[in-house]
Amino acid sequence: MRCCFPAPLAALAGVPGPCEVLRSGALLAPALLRAVSAARTRLPHHHPIAAVHLELVTLIEDRAIITWYTGLPGTDDGFGHMLPALTEGEVVYGTHPGRLDRVAGEDLPTAHHHVELTGLEPGQTYYYQARSRGVAARPTALHLIRGNAAGTSLHGLGSHGGPYSFTTPLPPPGRHLISLALCNDLHLGETTAGLVGGIPFMRGISQQPGLAPYPELMTRALVQEARRRGADVLLAAGDISAGGSAADLARARGILDGFGTHGRDYFVVRGNHDRPGAVEESDGDTFRHGFGRPDEPGYFERDLGGLRIIGLDTYEKRGNGADSGGLGAEQLAWFRSRLREQREQPTVVFGHHPLTVRDSLFPVGAGQRLGRRQARAILEAYAATPGVFLHHAGHTHRNKRTVLPQAPHVALQEVGAAKEYPGGFSLLRVHSGGYALNFFKARGAEALEWGERSRRMAGGLWPHHALGRSVTDRNSVVYRDLSGITRPTLAPLAATGSTG
């Protein structure tokens, strides 16, 4: 099976524009040289452990999730990464930087720390320090993109362990109506993450011997965490498989069925890796066989108590999967017609390819997005459809929130890949007066371990791309009137492509 790699890394092997090459080259060349140097030499450290990669992953009105890693200084796993150090972890925090009088800790020693602060006050600024064996954790350094992994302000950045700072958001107004888990890029069947042939330093990352294949492990953990976080519905936006094989799609279907019933509790659309002809099989379009019927289109509309869900097949075309996404003429006409007929209905759209890719560390080629003409047509349709408020996409394997002037009422949300660092999903909590969107890492010891292992992709530069430049790229709150939605009684989807 041909090895798959993430779209942004694939762009490095493609032919992006000269401006993109120069811009990214200026950023990447020094960092790659530093990565090579770090891989060759590890200096001794005066502490018995090091606490690194501190990240404020999830920020909600009443809670925050903070993660970090503890390793053995001076060790190297072959990828310039410290070997794990199992130890306790705790977060001390409070409302004043000089008075961190509250503590949250973990039950068992681990190297992959995941601490959840609960009972926080909405709209309150908190200061915190994460530590293990008295060693303060230092944040993931997002200097290449001028990002902030540890907080919502600059407080503590540049210090030797904080404290750092965040301000909890206010909750969406009104009553809670429904929660949807948004995920993408499961890549069942993949065996090496981030492998780009012919490019120096782009060594792929594989699972450790004896452990479950990482796409299966991460998808199972995602399903469990989505249920635990109260998701009523799950939307999977493409690249369900690594190469479109019937066996990989069947494994994905089996795992996703653990969330509920396809067409009622969860919905799936095609990605470029799920394309027809990706593998030589006698049964034709394996994706439609796995998640639908061969005589049905791969796009659909569904009504969930007044919340309209539209799923798009963004690779309804011929191609090798490396080119831009595309909707067939019939699908595009259907989509625009559905938007015109119900302009005011609250609507979430999901499909694999994003409409645009902004602020990327890596060169942006045509294959990373929907074709420009179709993207422009969709944005024009959104401008005339005030009910659409969210367009969820995958493919770029990163957390990124974009709002364009053509349709400022629509958040274009790219969600990090399920299969690799940071490894999780976004939970969309819909209230009568707005919505919140929060990213959660898939939990479980093996999932957190693989998430840490796979952050070493792209010569160790992957966090600069995938985590999100700021907390708001993965956690946001929007106020708007969604009172027309009622909590739905979920019923099976009558037919793919139907009007619900």
Side-chain angles (χ1 to χ4, degrees):
M1 181 186 70
R2 182 178 62 85
C3 185
C4 303
F5 45 83
L9 298 187
L12 293 174
V15 189
C19 291
E20 283 289 342
V21 171
L22 290 174
R23 184 186 71 82
S24 295
L27 288 173
L28 295 173
L32 287 172
L33 290 174
R34 285 195 298 270
V36 173
S37 177
R40 290 175 177 172
T41 305
R42 280 284 179 183
L43 296 177
H45 199 285
H46 65 279
H47 287 300
I49 67 164
V52 296
H53 304 160
L54 176 71
E55 294 169 358
L56 175 61
V57 177
T58 310
L59 183 61
I60 309 177
E61 62 269 13
D62 63 351
R63 65 192 58 225
I65 297 176
I66 296 163
T67 64
W68 70 99
Y69 175 75
T70 47
L72 299 171
T75 63
D76 192 327
D77 67 352
F79 290 87
H81 189 270
M82 291 181 292
L83 295 174
L86 303 182
T87 184
E88 79 287 347
E90 66 177 10
V91 175
V92 291
Y93 62 105
T95 56
H96 189 278
R99 190 171 59 255
L100 307 181
D101 52 2
R102 299 169 67 176
V103 182
E106 296 170 304
D107 296 330
L108 297 172
T110 181
H112 309 93
H113 304 276
H114 186 287
V115 174
E116 185 165 351
L117 313 184
T118 59
L120 303 182
E121 179 183 344
Q124 175 67 55
T125 297
Y126 290 90
Y127 300 86
Y128 76 95
Q129 186 179 67
R131 59 197 187 192
S132 294
R133 290 192 206 167
V135 177
R138 298 190 182 187
T140 295
L142 301 182
H143 54 280
L144 290 181
I145 55 173
R146 297 181 181 178
N148 184 347
T152 58
S153 79
L154 298 178
H155 187 92
L157 294 186
S159 69
H160 296 285
Y164 307 101
S165 173
F166 62 81
T167 300
T168 51
L170 296 175
R175 67 192 184 282
H176 175 256
L177 302 172
I178 188 173
S179 293
L180 298 89
L182 312 180
C183 66
N184 42 263
D185 297 280
L186 315 182
H187 285 234
L188 269 291
E190 184 179 282
T191 57
T192 306
L195 178 63
V196 182
I199 299 182
F201 319 126
M202 295 298 180
R203 297 170 60 188
I205 307 295
S206 300
Q207 179 63 289
Q208 297 187 70
L211 297 181
Y214 63 84
E216 296 183 24
L217 185 158
M218 296 301 288
T219 302
R220 292 185 191 281
L222 182 153
V223 166
Q224 293 172 1
E225 187 68 7
R227 275 299 189 200
R228 196 170 78 87
R229 296 293 175 181
D232 302 292
V233 175
L234 183 144
L235 308 180
D239 277 8
I240 309 304
S241 65
S245 80
D248 292 338
L249 288 163
R251 276 195 293 273
R253 176 71 183 261
I255 297 172
L256 292 173
D257 280 350
F259 184 86
T261 300
H262 175 244
R264 185 190 71 185
D265 304 306
Y266 77 90
F267 303 89
V268 177
V269 292
R270 184 200 308 272
N272 54 302
H273 282 292
D274 308 310
R275 66 192 181 278
V279 292
E280 296 296 331
E281 302 218 17
S282 59
D283 51 357
D285 191 336
T286 53
F287 183 80
R288 291 188 184 178
H289 278 277
F291 292 97
R293 296 202 306 263
D295 59 339
E296 295 174 342
Y299 51 90
F300 57 86
E301 181 184 51
R302 180 75 164 96
D303 187 285
L304 302 178
L307 174 64
R308 176 170 58 172
I309 306 297
I310 296 180
L312 298 179
D313 181 344
T314 65
Y315 208 77
E316 191 187 40
K317 56 181 288 185
R318 293 185 178 275
N320 63 7
D323 52 345
S324 61
L327 279 61
E330 182 177 339
Q331 179 183 184
L332 183 60
W334 171 87
F335 181 44
R336 297 169 74 179
S337 172
R338 298 309 304 154
L339 295 180
R340 283 195 302 269
E341 291 176 15
Q342 300 289 340
R343 295 181 188 272
E344 304 291 336
Q345 184 174 7
T347 300
V348 172
V349 179
F350 76 112
H352 187 63
H353 292 78
L355 302 184
T356 185
V357 178
R358 302 291 178 93
D359 304 319
S360 176
L361 174 67
F362 299 112
V364 179
Q368 284 190 256
R369 57 182 176 251
L370 204 64
R372 290 187 184 276
R373 289 186 179 180
Q374 289 196 347
R376 190 179 304 115
I378 289 173
L379 284 171
E380 290 172 354
Y382 285 171
T385 313
V388 177
F389 63 90
L390 183 69
H391 183 117
H392 158 221
H395 193 54
T396 58
H397 296 210
R398 67 173 185 167
N399 290 312
K400 180 67 171 70
R401 182 177 185 269
T402 302
V403 177
L404 299 178
Q406 298 95 317
H409 57 286
V410 183
L412 307 179
Q413 183 67 51
E414 301 163 53
V415 177
K419 75 179 181 75
E420 68 205 9
Y421 171 90
F425 65 96
S426 285
L427 184 69
L428 172 63
R429 295 180 292 131
V430 180
H431 289 239
S432 56
Y435 67 89
L437 196 60
N438 301 107
F439 184 79
F440 289 88
K441 283 186 178 181
R443 291 191 64 184
E446 290 184 336
L448 292 174
E449 180 180 355
W450 170 254
E452 179 66 27
R453 183 175 175 84
S454 60
R455 72 182 290 131
R456 289 163 271 184
M457 290 164 39
L461 302 182
W462 196 242
H464 291 263
H465 172 81
L467 177 64
R469 289 176 177 238
S470 68
V471 174
T472 55
D473 267 332
R474 54 189 180 273
N475 299 277
S476 57
V477 177
V478 174
Y479 290 7
R480 62 176 292 155
D481 183 8
L482 298 173
S483 58
I485 302 172
T486 60
R487 185 164 182 84
T489 301
L490 300 177
L493 180 64
T496 304
S498 74
T499 60

